[in-house]
């Protein structure tokens, strides 16, 4: 209930009991055993004074120590079984000890009783074995000792013994009850620890494994025996005597039915028809049990089902046989066809082998030449692009210089003072080019109707022109020598295509399956681009059908007239135009073309219209064509933004002819009219709505504003108005409302100021009515 407090100086001491020295039972107790004398101090809490008067008390052992002692005991028992000879000797010695103990108990029962009690107390106190000769007693000796102790307990008084039961309590009069603990009453905890060698432990471990294996095998045999026994019992339970009798009776009935059937139909060798009208006779089974019966109709139905199944199986087999026969016939026909086509197949095989070698050689040759061709084409385009850039920059710089001179003159300054350094050089160069063009127009009809600003002003100095010609001549010479080191069958577009089309004439199916027609434009690309580099569509009037590559493709021979109408031959030229020519022209328009040049615009538009007319492949779904048209529109928009400019001066500056403001304004007006004319020449290439949009953009940004800045009553306004109407009249019906309103206002003002001019009135009135119809349909 409460823990006993620790008292200093109350240490337990090991002393040798004096009672054991004079006892008569010391002859079978080891003299080396010692007991611990209990302290005589009085218990403080839960113990009596008399309780502390005992001479000896038990020492509590830990559970771990107890388990270790039990394990050592088991190891000792196993070691004893291995060494039988040693065990026999030990058992013999133990029997002698037990015999001596029995003799002492018989001769001196009173002394034995006291000795046994003292022995138990001392053994439990010290925890050692009870042998007096130093040997370990076996389980039989311990059992006999306990049995003898129980007999003595029954004969003696209750207070003269220590109970062996764990749960019994020590109860004396005048003493408090105390429950004996489990660990205090364990006899096996007071054995002396015994140590073994490594060899003995190894033998014990092996013995333990063998025993475990024997136990496992015995358990498996027991389980197998149990399973066999369970199966036998189930069989006996299921198969009873009654079931066996019913089975035998059923078998006898079947035999009886078969005998009746054989007696009735066995001797008749003819076939018996199944479809007969027979009354349903009930045939009872023989034997003692007549509960089940079989009708004749049921037997007939079963036989019919079996016949139907047999017929279906036969039909399936017949179908398989017919299929195999048909397959054999087809295989024979295929073999015959292959035998007949063997020569043709042989020729195809030889042709394909030749074509394989030839195509590899062509590709190897073109891989080396394509890079050279691209370099030459880029050099040619670089020369023309450099010329275009120089002229474009000079034209825009001249406009800025002209505006600066006019602004200085309008502000009252001397224009000559503005022309300093490079400005003066540019002025001199500009006036020299203008005088040269004027001299060239003298004596011609162009000089009569010419207005300043309508010329292209694309002249260059002689040194630059000579340098460009030399570069172009070098490039053309290199182009002529590109295929000089190759055989004719690899350097001619016609020769290459004829060799490849030989495949088409020999084996059209494999030709189409290989998509060779898709690769033909790529093979023709180097030759077509080289021929375009030798000519300049912006300077020369070139037609596509007059070029050499076009004529070579037209002259490709075919073995029969039917082969000439082949779709691959028909679409060969359009495919090359679509995949090679149009991309080349797109690059040329982007890098070399000048939108303000009426000559270049007219030539390129003529070429494009011819291409669109002769090539049905080119429509709004063609991506290369869409890129080309978008490039043209972008170049025109760039020219409108950069080249067109309307100077804003006062009316006095405009009226003063010495300032040059009026002439500069007129020049810009006619430059806009020329750009509108360049846009109009692409009416067959671009859509009418797109051309009208570009023309109205130029008219509203330059022409209408230029007419409003001058006096409308001047005679020169009539010429400008007629020129504007001639360029814009055909696009009025495609114009939008916001684009037509500025033009309508300008024409109304001109009509008011020049009402006496009948021709102008008639033209302006017609244009105004058309504009009004477009605005208010």
């Amino acid at each position: 209930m409460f823990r006993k407090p620790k008292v200093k100086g109350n240490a337990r001491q090991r002393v040798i009991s004096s009672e054991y020295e004079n006892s008569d039972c010391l002859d079978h107790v080891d003299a080396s055993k010692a007991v611990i004398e209990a302290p005589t101090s009085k218990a403080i809490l839960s113990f009596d004074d008399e309780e502390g008067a005992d001479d000896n008390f038990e020492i509590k052992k830990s559970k771990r120590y107890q388990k270790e002692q039990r394990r050592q005991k088991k190891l000792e028992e196993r070691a004893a079984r291995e060494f039988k000879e040693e065990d026999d000797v030990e058992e013999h010695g133990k029997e002698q000890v037990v015999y001596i103990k029995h003799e002492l108990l018989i001769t001196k029962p009173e002394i034995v009783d006291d000795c046994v009690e003292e022995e138990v107390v001392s053994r439990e106190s010290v925890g050692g074995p009870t042998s007096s000769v130093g040997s370990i007693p076996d389980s039989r000796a311990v059992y006999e000792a306990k049995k003898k102790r129980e007999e003595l307990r029954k004969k003696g008084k209750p207070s003269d013994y220590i109970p062996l039961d764990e749960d019994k309590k020590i109860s004396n009069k005048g003493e408090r009850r105390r429950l004996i603990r489990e660990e205090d009453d364990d006899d096996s905890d007071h054995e002396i620890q015994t140590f073994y060698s490594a060899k003995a432990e190894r033998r014990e471990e092996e013995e333990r494994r063998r025993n475990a294996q024997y136990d496992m095998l015995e358990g498996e045999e027991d389980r197998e025996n149990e399973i066999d026994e369970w199966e036998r019992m189930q069989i006996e339970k299921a198969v009873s005597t009654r079931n066996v009798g019913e089975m035998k009776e059923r078998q006898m009935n079947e035999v009886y039915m078969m005998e009746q059937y054989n007696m009735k139909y066995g001797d008749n060798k003819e076939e018996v028809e199944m479809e007969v009208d027979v009354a349903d006779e009930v045939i009872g089974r023989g034997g003692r049990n007549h509960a089940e019966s079989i009708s004749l109709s049921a037997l007939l139905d079963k036989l019919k089902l079996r016949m139907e199944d047999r017929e279906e199986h036969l039909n399936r087999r017949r179908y398989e046989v017919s299929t195999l026969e048909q397959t054999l016939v087809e295989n024979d026909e295929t073999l015959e066809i292959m035998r007949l086509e063997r020569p043709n197949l042989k020729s195809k095989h030889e042709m394909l082998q030749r074509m394989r070698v030839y195509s590899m050689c062509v590709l190897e040759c073109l891989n080396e030449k394509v890079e050279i061709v691209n370099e030459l084409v880029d050099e040619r385009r670089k020369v023309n692009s450099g010329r275009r850039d120089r002229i474009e920059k000079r034209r825009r710089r001249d406009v800025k210089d002209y505006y600066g001179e006019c602004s200085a003159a309008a502000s009252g300054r001397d224009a000559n003072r503005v022309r300093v350094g490079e400005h003066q050089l540019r002025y001199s160069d500009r006036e020299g080019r203008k005088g040269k063009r004027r001299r060239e127009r003298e004596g011609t009809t162009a000089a009569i109707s010419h207005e300043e600003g309508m010329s292209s002003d694309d002249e260059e100095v002689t040194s630059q022109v000579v340098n460009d010609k030399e570069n172009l001549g070098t490039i053309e010479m290199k182009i002529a020598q590109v295929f000089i080191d190759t055989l004719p069958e690899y350097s001619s577009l016609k020769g290459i295509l004829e060799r490849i089309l030989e495949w088409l004439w020999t084996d059209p199916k494999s030709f189409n399956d290989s998509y060779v027609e898709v690769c033909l434009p790529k093979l023709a690309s180097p030759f077509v681009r080289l021929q375009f580099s030798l000519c300049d569509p912006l300077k020369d009037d070139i037609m596509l059908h007059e070029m050499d590559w076009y004529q070579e493709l037209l002259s490709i021979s075919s073995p029969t007239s039917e082969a000439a109408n082949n779709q691959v031959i028909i679409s060969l030229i359009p495919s090359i135009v679509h995949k090679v020519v149009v991309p080349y022209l797109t690059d040329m328009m982007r890098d070399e073309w000048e939108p303000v040049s009426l000559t270049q615009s007219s030539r390129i538009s003529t070429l494009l219209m011819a291409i669109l007319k002769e090539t049905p492949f080119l429509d709004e779904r063609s991506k290369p064509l869409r890129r080309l048209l978008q490039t043209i529109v972008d170049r025109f928009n760039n020219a409108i933004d950069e080249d067109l400019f309307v100077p804003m001066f006062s009316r006095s500056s405009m009226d003063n002819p010495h300032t040059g403001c009026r002439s500069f304004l007129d020049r810009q007006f006619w430059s806009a009219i020329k750009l509108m004319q360049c846009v109009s020449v692409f009416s067959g290439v671009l859509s009418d709505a797109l051309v009208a949009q570009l023309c109205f953009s130029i008219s509203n940004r330059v022409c209408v504003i230029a007419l409003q800045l001058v006096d409308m009553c001047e005679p020169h306004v009539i010429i400008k108005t007629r020129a504007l109407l001639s360029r814009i009249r055909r696009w009025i019906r495609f114009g939008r409302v916001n684009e037509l309103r500025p033009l309508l206002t300008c024409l109304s003002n001109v009509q008011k100021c020049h009402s006496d001019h009948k021709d102008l009135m008639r033209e302006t009135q017609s244009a105004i009515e058309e504009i009004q119809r477009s605005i208010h349909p």
Side-chain angles (χ1 to χ4, degrees), residues 2-45:
F2 298 98
R3 293 185 180 274
K4 186 176 181 180
K6 296 182 180 180
V7 182
K8 294 183 179 180
N10 192 18
R12 297 176 180 175
Q13 299 178 359
R14 295 180 180 271
V15 297
I16 300 174
S17 178
S18 59
E19 295 179 1
Y20 281 89
E21 295 176 357
N22 300 323
S23 179
D24 296 334
C25 61
L26 287 178
D27 52 350
H28 59 86
V29 178
D30 190 359
S32 64
K33 302 302 179 181
V35 295
I36 300 173
E37 184 178 357
T40 59
S41 63
K42 191 174 183 179
I44 296 175
L45 293 177

Side-chain angles (χ1 to χ4, degrees), residues 595-613:
V596 297
S597 176
L598 183 59
T599 304
Q600 292 185 5
S601 299
S602 300
R603 287 170 179 166
I604 195 65
S605 63
T606 303
L607 177 61
L608 291 177
M609 283 189 288
I611 291 174
L612 293 175
K613 184 178 180 180

Side-chain angles (χ1 to χ4, degrees), residues 90-102 138 141:
E90 292 177 358
E91 289 176 1
H92 181 69
K94 293 175 184 177
E95 290 177 357
Q96 291 179 355
V97 173
V98 173
Y99 178 76
I100 294 171
K101 288 182 179 180
H102 290 175
D138 59 349

Side-chain angles (χ1 to χ4, degrees), residues 170-426:
I170 302 174
S171 178
N172 294 324
K173 292 181 179 181
E175 296 179 358
R176 296 182 182 179
R177 297 186 178 183
R178 177 168 172 254
L179 180 64
I180 299 176
R181 297 179 182 177
E182 178 182 357
E183 58 270 14
D184 296 338
D185 196 44
D186 192 356
D187 294 337
S188 62
D189 295 341
H190 305 286
E191 298 177 359
I192 297 175
Q193 183 176 3
T194 307
F195 297 95
Y196 296 92
S197 63
K199 184 176 180 180
E201 291 182 356
R202 188 162 54 253
R203 290 179 180 177
E204 292 173 1
E205 189 68 25
E206 292 177 358
E207 182 65 22
R208 188 161 52 252
R209 283 199 299 269
R210 285 196 295 270
N211 294 336
Q213 186 175 5
Y214 293 155
D215 295 341
M216 182 179 66
L217 294 176
E218 290 177 359
E220 292 180 356
E221 290 178 357
D222 294 340
R223 284 195 297 272
E224 291 178 358
N225 295 333
E226 291 177 359
I227 292 171
D228 294 341
E229 183 65 20
W230 181 82
E231 290 180 353
R232 186 183 61 78
M233 294 173 65
Q234 294 295 327
I235 292 171
E236 290 179 356
K237 187 188 299 182
V239 183
S240 61
T241 307
R242 180 179 179 182
N243 294 337
V244 173
E246 290 179 358
M247 291 176 62
K248 291 182 179 180
E249 185 177 355
R250 191 179 298 112
Q251 186 176 5
M252 291 174 63
N253 291 337
E254 292 177 358
V255 172
Y256 175 76
M257 291 295 297
M258 291 300 297
E259 290 178 355
Q260 293 294 330
Y261 182 80
N262 292 332
M263 290 175 62
K264 188 173 182 180
Y265 301 103
D267 297 336
N268 190 4
K269 302 300 182 180
E270 298 181 357
E271 295 182 357
V272 181
E273 296 182 359
M274 301 300 295
E275 300 292 335
V276 293
D277 296 333
V278 182
D280 293 341
E281 298 179 1
V282 178
I283 303 174
R285 293 189 176 184
R288 292 174 297 173
N289 189 6
H290 298 283
E292 297 182 2
S293 61
I294 299 175
S295 63
L296 184 60
S297 60
L299 290 175
L300 294 176
D301 292 338
K302 291 182 179 180
L303 291 174
K304 288 179 181 179
L305 291 176
R306 294 190 63 181
M307 292 296 293
E308 290 177 358
D309 294 341
R310 176 177 173 276
E311 190 65 25
E312 290 179 0
H313 179 70
L314 291 176
N315 290 335
R316 287 196 299 269
R317 300 299 295 176
R318 292 190 192 99
Y319 177 75
E320 293 177 358
V321 171
S322 62
T323 304
L324 292 174
E325 291 177 353
Q326 185 178 359
T327 304
L328 290 174
V329 172
E330 292 177 357
N331 291 339
D332 294 338
E333 294 177 356
T334 304
L335 291 174
E336 184 65 21
I337 293 172
M338 293 177 65
R339 186 181 64 81
L340 295 176
E341 292 184 353
R342 183 176 180 181
N344 189 19
L345 294 175
K346 182 179 180 181
S347 62
K348 290 181 180 180
H349 177 72
E350 294 176 354
M351 181 273 301
L352 292 174
Q353 292 295 328
R354 294 195 305 269
M355 192 58 60
R356 176 177 175 274
V357 176
Y358 180 77
S359 60
M360 292 177 63
C361 296
V362 169
L363 293 177
E364 184 178 356
C365 176
L366 292 180
N367 286 335
E368 296 179 359
K369 302 299 181 182
V370 165
E371 186 176 356
I372 301 174
V373 172
N374 293 336
E375 291 177 358
L376 294 175
V377 172
D378 292 341
E379 289 179 5
R380 175 65 180 265
R381 182 170 292 125
K382 186 177 180 181
V383 173
N384 293 333
S385 177
R387 180 178 179 276
R388 194 280 309 271
D389 293 340
R390 290 193 301 270
I391 294 175
E392 189 178 73
K393 291 179 181 179
R394 187 184 66 187
R395 181 175 59 250
R396 295 172 182 176
R397 189 170 56 246
D398 290 343
V399 171
K400 292 181 181 179
D401 293 344
Y402 211 153
Y403 178 73
E405 294 173 5
C406 294
S407 299
S411 61
R413 293 179 296 170
D414 187 4
N416 294 325
R417 294 182 179 181
V418 179
R419 306 184 188 105
V420 179
E422 294 182 358
H423 192 175
Q424 180 64 33
L425 295 176
R426 291 195 297 270

Side-chain angles (χ1 to χ4, degrees), residues 38-53:
T40 59
S41 63
K42 191 174 183 179
I44 296 175
L45 293 177
S46 61
F47 297 101
D48 251 351
D49 294 340
E50 297 177 358
E51 201 174 353

Side-chain angles (χ1 to χ4, degrees), residues 530-710:
L530 282 178
Q531 291 186 23
F532 266 103
S533 298
L534 292 174
C535 60
D536 193 352
L538 298 176
K539 295 181 180 180
D540 304 325
D541 296 328
I542 298 174
M543 299 304 294
L544 197 65
H545 61 272
E546 296 176 355
M547 300 187 71
D548 295 339
W549 66 269
Y550 196 97
Q551 296 296 328
E552 289 178 356
L553 295 179
L554 288 177
S555 62
I556 290 178
S557 60
S558 57
T560 60
S561 58
E562 297 179 358
N565 297 327
N566 191 282
Q567 185 63 29
V568 177
I569 301 300
I570 295 174
S571 62
L572 182 57
I573 294 177
S575 299
I576 294 175
V577 172
H578 180 259
K579 296 182 179 180
V580 181
V581 176
V582 174
Y584 181 86
L585 295 178
T586 302
D587 296 337
M588 184 188 67
M589 297 289 285
R590 185 184 63 249
D591 298 332
E592 304 177 26
W593 174 52
E594 295 182 52
V596 297
S597 176
L598 183 59
T599 304
Q600 292 185 5
S601 299
S602 300
R603 287 170 179 166
I604 195 65
S605 63
T606 303
L607 177 61
L608 291 177
M609 283 189 288
I611 291 174
L612 293 175
K613 184 178 180 180
E614 297 175 359
T615 310
F617 282 73
L618 297 176
D619 53 11
E620 64 276 3
R621 295 173 296 179
S622 174
K623 292 183 180 179
L625 180 61
R626 290 205 301 268
R627 285 195 293 267
L628 173 61
L629 300 181
Q630 187 62 39
T631 302
I632 296 173
V633 174
D634 293 342
R635 292 292 297 155
F636 273 125
N637 289 327
N638 183 56
I640 293 171
D641 296 336
E642 301 295 337
D643 294 323
L644 298 183
F645 172 70
V646 180
M648 306 296 289
F649 300 110
S650 62
R651 181 58 60 88
S652 60
S653 299
M654 298 287 290
D655 294 338
N656 187 0
H658 298 289
T659 57
C661 296
R662 181 64 178 272
S663 61
F664 180 57
L665 181 62
D666 294 341
R667 183 177 184 276
Q668 291 301 110
F669 177 85
W670 292 111
S671 297
I673 294 295
K674 180 183 179 182
L675 185 58
M676 290 175 64
Q677 188 176 358
C678 293
V679 173
S680 299
V681 298
F682 284 93
S683 59
V685 179
L686 301 175
S687 64
D688 293 338
L690 189 55
V691 174
Q693 181 181 353
L694 292 173
C695 290
F696 279 109
S697 177
I698 298 171
S699 173
N700 296 331
R701 293 179 63 174
V702 180
C703 299
V704 173
I705 296 175
L707 291 175
Q708 293 175 352
L709 290 176
V710 299

